[in-house]
Amino acid sequence: MAPHAESSRPTTPNPACQSNHIPRTVNSTGTVSQNLDLKGKRSDHRRSHLRQTEPDELHDLICVGFGPASLAIAIALHDALDDSVAEKNLFRTSGQRPKVAFLERQPQFAWHAGMILPGAKMQITFIKDLATMRNPRSEFTFLNYLHTKGRLAQFTNLSTFLPQRMEYEDYMRWCAGWFDEVVTYSQDVIEIAPEYSDRATSEAIRYFTVKSKDVRTGTIIERRARHVVIAVGGKPNIPRPLPAKHQNIVHSANYATAIPKLLSDTQKSYEIAVVGSGQSAAEVFHNLQKQYPNSRTKLLIRGNCLRPSDDSPFVNEIFGPERIDTFYQQSPSTRTSSLSQDRCTNYGVVRLELLEAIYSDLYTQRLQYSSHEDEWPHRILNNSVIEGWGDLPDGRIALHVYDEGDYGGSKGVTARKQTLEFDVVIVATGYRRDAHENLLQPTRHLLADSDGVFQVGRNYRVKFSNGTVSDDVGVWLQGCNENTHGLSDTLLSVLATRGGEMVQSIFGSAENSPTRLGG
């Protein structure tokens, strides 16, 4: 699956909560602004309405991970504190700013850095950015980003709703730059544990302790929060029987950063395998032929052909935020059936224009070499299943592959097996989204589900047993609820509206009180 998808700091800030602060500058009009070029350089800086909270204070909210999901929450919080936007100000009654912190393992904001390939485009319209669908007047819309960068007119001339992926990542980095004061990078969260404020007077959990390790120094830091949002994204999935770690095996998530180091000579005739049948696999297969013109590449897919994604108007409605209510209310069996029917929109499929480009390249090979595909430098091997692997004496890797095609109707015909040798194997087989299982291990005994399964409500709040956790305390999961909230849960499509829903659920209504906000 491809990506579709700040009061001034104290003079001597606490190192435990220090983030990558960028000095602000004021332009000739007297307004503070921030610009990022596509290399990530900031020439000036804007600040959000959120303010830094010391690690030893009780936080209202800690977000684990600062990718697009948490960034959308940060933006929704900023807008809720902004009187100039056309939405209810949740914090006007209390008169207090929420005490929040965002913890991110990476040293800086990055989104699918390993798949920012030249010319690669987004798979969703820019209107589904981090703010527009919730509030088109927000400062954080993609159009306002273009306006700030001085590219609005030029982008309009492209006559497209699909920006290049490198530009969209820069848009998100531009948004993330507003929140430097409340984000601490290089923090690897290792545990989230429930705590009682006073066991003698309360049997309910009053806050959670979030324990993180500074990946640069190894220092362990503990922060307390009434609410914790876990939005850590997916971990690269390496399918069996391939090893989880191997010097010659690279997941597509690391393609653009790892492959240039492994294959340093762009003119060498490398043998390269790509495993997978989705957008990422197709993009890598297509890009390799340009980056390494003398290489020989093979795309191994389990199906009998590459298939196009369905992004027609009626089908696209399944990614609308209003569909989440309907999907959540369905029975588990109906949800499972719906997910199976809708997989062709997002998994194991490729955008049509890329399919056509790849087919054109393969046809050119047919003209250049012969109709015998074994002679082509770039091939697609259909019905291919990897059943084993091995290291070769020369440092390369061998894949034992068999053809999964149906030979049952032909007497005496068995599946063809072969051993293929490669310098590198690039695996584009999706992601695992179960990191919360380990992070929340200390809370498992509090779960409502007797089997220890982390279930969430429609508002993404983990269901703990009645009475075990205070009403104004909770854990919230983002990006790992596809089975209950639909295919859009892991995608960018609903981030703007979902970020607003999260802010409303955590800080809205009767919960908006001094004891709720930093009391």
Side-chain angles (χ1 to χ4, degrees):
M1 179 178 64
H4 264 4
E6 308 182 7
S7 178
S8 299
R9 290 171 175 270
T11 304
T12 56
N14 187 323
C17 62
Q18 189 171 5
S19 58
N20 301 346
H21 180 62
I22 307 297
R24 295 179 297 139
T25 60
V26 181
N27 61 30
S28 59
T29 65
T31 59
V32 180
S33 59
Q34 169 189 309
N35 291 319
L36 295 93
D37 58 24
L38 294 184
K39 295 180 181 179
K41 181 180 179 181
R42 294 179 174 91
S43 57
D44 56 357
H45 185 63
R46 292 185 177 186
R47 296 171 65 218
S48 79
H49 296 314
L50 303 176
R51 297 292 179 264
Q52 179 178 324
T53 301
E54 293 297 325
D56 58 354
E57 291 191 55
L58 178 60
H59 293 67
D60 297 304
L61 170 65
I62 291 178
C63 285
V64 180
F66 193 60
S70 287
L71 179 54
I73 293 173
I75 291 171
L77 272 170
H78 170 94
D79 284 354
L81 288 162
D82 192 343
D83 288 332
S84 67
V85 299
E87 64 177 282
K88 181 180 178 181
N89 190 320
L90 299 179
F91 308 104
R92 185 176 295 137
T93 302
S94 69
Q96 298 188 48
R97 298 177 190 271
K99 295 181 179 181
V100 302
F102 298 85
L103 308 178
E104 170 55 47
R105 191 181 192 282
Q106 298 183 103
Q108 61 186 6
F109 183 89
W111 173 73
H112 287 292
M115 284 299 293
I116 306 297
L117 307 181
K121 290 188 175 183
M122 296 295 293
Q123 295 173 259
I124 62 168
T125 169
F126 68 81
I127 295 176
K128 293 182 178 181
D129 58 26
L130 298 174
T132 298
M133 298 294 283
R134 173 181 51 80
N135 178 16
R137 297 184 181 184
S138 171
E139 294 179 274
F140 294 91
T141 66
F142 182 76
L143 288 180
N144 188 49
Y145 156 80
L146 290 173
H147 174 71
T148 302
K149 290 302 189 93
R151 295 199 304 269
L152 182 56
Q154 291 77 10
F155 182 86
T156 302
N157 290 337
L158 293 174
S159 298
T160 182
F161 283 94
L162 304 176
Q164 291 190 44
R165 198 176 296 155
M166 67 170 62
E167 183 171 38
Y168 201 81
E169 193 218 16
D170 187 62
Y171 154 68
M172 288 196 286
R173 281 192 281 119
W174 174 78
C175 291
W178 288 57
F179 300 95
D180 281 337
E181 188 167 335
V182 291
V183 182
T184 306
Y185 293 98
S186 299
Q187 292 295 306
D188 183 15
V189 174
I190 55 180
E191 184 181 84
I192 300 167
E195 300 289 349
Y196 300 86
S197 58
D198 185 351
R199 287 180 179 269
T201 60
S202 175
E203 295 182 356
I205 303 300
R206 297 297 301 166
Y207 59 87
F208 292 89
T209 297
V210 180
K211 185 183 296 185
S212 66
K213 180 175 71 173
D214 189 313
V215 299
R216 300 161 300 186
T217 66
T219 303
I220 302 297
I221 304 169
E222 292 188 356
R223 296 172 175 86
R224 299 170 300 143
R226 291 189 176 93
H227 295 274
V228 179
V229 171
I230 301 177
V232 294
K235 293 183 177 180
N237 176 51
I238 306 293
R240 294 180 179 179
L242 295 177
K245 293 183 179 181
H246 192 283
Q247 61 182 2
N248 299 106
I249 298 177
V250 176
H251 193 274
S252 59
N254 304 311
Y255 170 69
T257 53
I259 290 300
K261 298 175 183 177
L262 288 174
L263 308 179
S264 57
D265 186 352
T266 58
Q267 300 304 311
K268 191 173 180 179
S269 56
Y270 295 111
E271 296 279 349
I272 309 171
V274 182
V275 180
S277 58
Q279 182 74 17
S280 293
E283 287 182 2
V284 169
F285 179 66
H286 190 55
N287 180 261
L288 282 169
Q289 299 168 35
K290 296 172 175 55
Q291 294 295 109
Y292 301 93
N294 299 318
S295 66
R296 298 181 64 86
T297 62
K298 292 180 175 64
L299 177 61
L300 280 60
I301 66 175
R302 293 198 67 150
N304 56 17
C305 67
L306 291 175
R307 300 182 182 278
S309 57
D310 187 345
D311 59 355
S312 55
F314 288 107
V315 170
N316 258 345
E317 287 195 343
I318 69 174
F319 298 114
E322 66 281 352
R323 285 297 186 94
I324 299 176
D325 285 332
T326 302
F327 188 87
Y328 185 83
Q329 293 169 7
Q330 293 175 342
S331 67
S333 60
T334 302
R335 290 181 198 153
T336 301
S337 177
S338 296
L339 289 173
S340 178
Q341 293 176 34
D342 297 336
R343 286 187 65 84
C344 62
T345 63
N346 190 56
Y347 295 109
V349 290
V350 184
R351 288 191 67 85
L352 182 59
E353 58 267 30
L354 180 55
L355 287 181
E356 292 173 339
I358 292 174
Y359 192 88
S360 177
D361 290 345
L362 296 181
Y363 184 79
T364 299
Q365 289 186 141
R366 190 179 296 273
L367 297 177
Q368 290 178 318
Y369 300 96
S370 73
S371 59
H372 201 289
E373 294 188 16
D374 288 345
E375 300 179 12
W376 298 1
H378 310 296
R379 299 177 56 200
I380 298 177
L381 304 184
N382 302 329
N383 304 312
S384 295
V385 177
I386 299 172
E387 64 175 0
W389 66 281
D391 288 319
L392 297 173
D394 59 3
R396 297 189 300 156
I397 187 171
L399 297 184
H400 307 303
V401 181
Y402 73 90
D403 188 331
E404 198 181 35
D406 182 10
Y407 297 98
S410 301
K411 185 176 180 180
V413 178
T414 58
R416 183 167 62 105
K417 297 184 179 182
Q418 57 183 324
T419 296
L420 305 173
E421 300 180 358
F422 299 103
D423 294 286
V424 170
V425 176
I426 302 167
V427 180
T429 50
Y431 300 83
R432 294 170 44 229
R433 302 184 183 276
D434 57 0
H436 62 282
E437 297 279 350
N438 288 329
L439 292 177
L440 291 173
Q441 188 64 31
T443 72
R444 195 174 292 277
H445 66 287
L446 302 173
L447 294 177
D449 190 304
S450 59
D451 294 329
V453 176
F454 288 93
Q455 297 183 352
V456 296
R458 167 60 184 87
N459 64 352
Y460 305 97
R461 186 174 185 169
V462 173
K463 294 181 178 180
F464 292 114
S465 297
N466 290 336
T468 59
V469 176
S470 297
D471 292 340
D472 60 346
V473 174
V475 174
W476 315 72
L477 302 183
Q478 299 280 271
C480 54
N481 304 305
E482 185 179 274
N483 289 336
T484 53
H485 289 67
L487 279 173
S488 63
D489 189 70
T490 63
L491 307 179
L492 300 176
S493 299
V494 299
L495 289 188
T497 53
R498 191 175 73 186
E501 289 176 2
M502 293 293 296
V503 171
Q504 181 66 42
S505 294
I506 294 173
F507 295 106
S509 187
E511 296 175 341
N512 184 21
S513 66
T515 57
R516 180 75 176 138
L517 295 171

